[in-house]
Amino acid sequence: MKLKKLTIGGKLIAGFSGVALLLLVVSAAAYVSLEKVSESGVKMQEASVIKNKSLELVNSFVHQQDGITDYSLTQGEHAKKEAAEYGESVRSQLTELKGLITDEDVLNGLAGFEELHVKFEATGQEMAALFIQGKKEEANEVMERFDGLADASTRQYMLVSEYADKIAMTASEDLSATKKTAIAVIFAVSIFSVLAAAGLGLLLSRSIS
């Protein structure tokens, strides 16, 4: 046989080369798995950022709603200032979220929220003016519209929250699947490597003897 014609050095080189090749396969499989794990981690981090930003947005929106309502009922300057500050925060956070989101439906949802927010602020100003003028009956009717716009805005915002949850869930599932695949591949290749090394060793020992 050709293997028997090899020198001892050639046989050793062939054996070690075979084992080295198998180790290379294991290393490549591990590297690919780690890359996928890293990608899933990045996606989960992005989802976390979007989720936190969206929570900041709804927090600012709720505070603005409270500020407008308080100002309408009390005409307090602090409430007026608070409503204005939180309104600016809402606009700023909307801009930040638009830069983080790529899904067209969610971006359309944000655009819808933005339109409702403009109507919400205008209705709040109308409501406050009526309360200041003492037209309580008309002001209460406008307040119902104001609250309805707030509820509609919240429903639009929920698209962002659901989007972030979907990204996080998908990334988590990908991460779990990647880990299982990586373990299975590395285990299978490791077993094969041990068997191949044992086989090479047996062949070498027989050829040497």
Side-chain angles (χ1 to χ4, degrees):
M1 292 177 67
K2 290 184 179 181
L3 187 60
K4 290 185 177 181
K5 293 179 180 179
L6 288 174
T7 63
I8 293 176
K11 292 172 182 178
L12 289 174
I13 290 172
F16 282 118
S17 296
V19 173
L21 180 61
L22 291 171
L23 287 174
L24 184 62
V25 172
V26 174
S27 299
Y31 176 78
V32 171
S33 299
L34 286 173
E35 282 291 304
K36 289 183 178 180
V37 168
S38 179
E39 288 176 10
S40 298
V42 169
K43 287 181 180 178
M44 290 180 75
Q45 188 175 5
E46 289 175 354
S48 177
V49 170
I50 292 172
K51 185 77 172 180
N52 289 335
K53 289 291 181 184
S54 62
L55 288 174
E56 288 175 10
L57 171 64
V58 76
N59 182 60
S60 296
F61 180 73
V62 169
H63 277 89
Q64 185 188 16
Q65 182 183 2
D66 291 341
I68 292 172
T69 303
D70 288 347
Y71 174 67
S72 298
L73 298 174
T74 66
Q75 287 81 59
E77 286 300 315
H78 175 73
K80 182 180 181 181
K81 182 180 178 182
E82 185 179 72
E85 288 175 351
Y86 279 113
E88 284 300 319
S89 293
V90 168
R91 284 183 281 277
S92 174
Q93 286 151 2
L94 266 172
T95 301
E96 288 183 36
L97 275 171
K98 285 179 182 178
L100 295 171
I101 293 170
T102 55
D103 187 277
E104 196 66 33
D105 290 336
V106 181
L107 286 172
N108 289 335
L110 277 179
F113 176 90
E114 195 168 17
E115 290 176 10
L116 286 169
H117 185 249
V118 172
K119 294 177 182 178
F120 166 82
E121 288 188 313
T123 304
Q125 290 174 359
E126 181 185 354
M127 176 179 69
L130 289 170
F131 271 115
I132 290 170
Q133 294 168 19
K135 300 178 181 179
K136 291 187 178 180
E137 188 173 337
E138 292 178 42
N140 284 328
E141 289 178 2
V142 175
M143 183 180 278
E144 288 182 10
R145 282 197 287 122
F146 176 77
D147 291 339
L149 284 166
D151 291 341
S153 299
T154 302
R155 286 194 294 273
Q156 289 295 105
Y157 144 80
M158 288 304 295
L159 286 172
V160 180
S161 182
E162 290 169 3
Y163 172 70
D165 289 339
K166 183 179 178 181
I167 292 177
M169 185 178 294
T170 301
S172 179
E173 289 173 353
D174 289 346
L175 184 62
S176 178
T178 300
K179 285 180 177 178
K180 289 178 181 178
T181 302
I183 291 170
V185 169
I186 292 172
F187 180 76
V189 176
S190 297
I191 293 296
F192 182 73
S193 299
V194 171
L195 293 174
L200 285 169
L202 183 61
L203 284 173
L204 287 170
S205 64
R206 286 182 177 179
S207 62
I208 290 171
S209 60

